[in-house]
Amino acid sequence: MKIVIIGGSGLIGSKLAVLLRQAGHEVVAASPSTGVNMLTGEGLREALAGARIVVDVANSPSFADEPALHFFDTAGRNLLAAEAEASVAHHIALSVVGTDRLLASGYFRAKQRQEELIEASSVPWTIVQATQFFEFVAGIADGSVQGGEVRLSNALIQPMAADDVAAALAVVVGESPARRRIEIAGPEALPLDALVRRLFAATGDKRPVVTDTQASYFGVQLDDRSLTPGTGPRLGTTRFADWLAQRARA
């Protein structure tokens, strides 16, 4: 069947496109580089013509409060309206585990708006909430630097490999619309500060990692529930140590 991936040229979208093509589907990787603009609606109608499923893995180009809200609100409205017009049978959106617990951040308030638009839409839907990706741990560290130190909470985080995210989405593509949120996560939970220390040990980064229970995560105070899934998540198979070893061999 025809499947449109919004954000199909990005980290997750490109991996998902490979999996779905290998399964025999017709895949359209929609992004500004292929003439599809979510904010203006340009190219959406043409891309969605005949599509059975749409997977939205697009992300805001800015994490600042107002630009992120503008992106997810405007893009969400445009996409869902175009899907309804095209009689799309299943809208799958990639979101973040803990979105409703991280609303002190404007970015997560924007993600909440995206989820609310999906729930209110006439298009059958599934929201897949993922934990943070291994590929983003370095960025988390870089965003936590104060005075040359990387100051991080020791709250638990249960991150996962981008490959496992794409594989989980490919499974959802083969399922009926759940009309609910499905959580996906990595196979193990680790303290955030310990996770970054493991990354630094593997990459030779000499910056000191300081445990600070009051350190914020992009403006949010963390506890052990903030970045971890609830009961019954779908778990990836790749452990952080194995992912680091794979990167070292690459």
Side-chain angles (χ1 to χ4, degrees), residues 39-52:
L39 292 178
T40 66
E42 179 186 359
L44 265 179
R45 178 178 294 180
E46 294 79 5
L48 296 183
R52 180 77 176 166

Side-chain angles (χ1 to χ4, degrees), residues 59-69 71-72 107:
N59 200 4
S60 170
S62 171
F63 286 83
D65 293 5
E66 290 302 320
L69 181 61
F71 177 85
F72 286 117
Y107 175 81

Side-chain angles (χ1 to χ4, degrees), residues 140-151:
I140 293 172
D142 291 342
S144 303
V145 174
Q146 296 181 30
E149 299 176 334
V150 182
R151 304 189 70 87

Side-chain angles (χ1 to χ4, degrees), residues 15 131-135 137 157-168 184-190 195 198 234-247 249:
K15 293 176 181 294
T131 53
Q132 295 296 324
F133 311 155
F134 294 158
E135 288 81 358
V137 174
I157 184 172
Q158 195 166 333
M160 63 190 304
D163 284 339
D164 288 349
V165 176
I184 61 175
E188 58 183 344
L190 299 165
L195 185 75
R198 287 193 186 188
R234 301 182 182 187
L235 299 181
T237 59
T238 308
R239 295 182 178 276
F240 191 56
D242 297 331
W243 180 81
L244 288 172
Q246 291 167 6
R247 282 172 54 90
R249 291 193 297 268

Side-chain angles (χ1 to χ4, degrees), residues 112-160:
Q112 179 90 328
R113 174 71 62 83
Q114 178 192 29
E115 293 190 8
E116 290 169 351
L117 290 171
I118 293 167
E119 286 184 290
S121 169
S122 63
V123 181
W125 57 276
T126 303
I127 294 172
V128 179
Q129 292 185 322
T131 53
Q132 295 296 324
F133 311 155
F134 294 158
E135 288 81 358
F136 293 167
V137 174
I140 293 172
D142 291 342
S144 303
V145 174
Q146 296 181 30
E149 299 176 334
V150 182
R151 304 189 70 87
L152 292 164
S153 167
N154 59 355
L156 292 177
I157 184 172
Q158 195 166 333
M160 63 190 304

Side-chain angles (χ1 to χ4, degrees), residues 149-238:
E149 299 176 334
V150 182
R151 304 189 70 87
L152 292 164
S153 167
N154 59 355
L156 292 177
I157 184 172
Q158 195 166 333
M160 63 190 304
D163 284 339
D164 288 349
V165 176
L169 287 170
V171 170
V172 175
V173 164
E175 299 174 343
S176 299
R179 295 186 184 271
R180 65 180 179 88
R181 291 162 178 77
I182 294 171
E183 291 187 322
I184 61 175
E188 58 183 344
L190 299 165
L192 179 57
D193 57 341
L195 185 75
V196 171
R197 287 191 182 97
R198 287 193 186 188
L199 176 69
F200 282 8
T203 60
D205 195 319
K206 301 300 184 184
R207 289 177 294 178
V209 178
V210 177
T211 303
D212 181 353
T213 58
Q214 300 304 309
S216 66
Y217 175 83
F218 299 105
V220 180
Q221 292 293 310
L222 299 178
D223 59 35
D224 285 346
R225 285 287 299 117
S226 301
L227 301 176
T228 54
T231 57
R234 301 182 182 187
L235 299 181
T237 59
T238 308

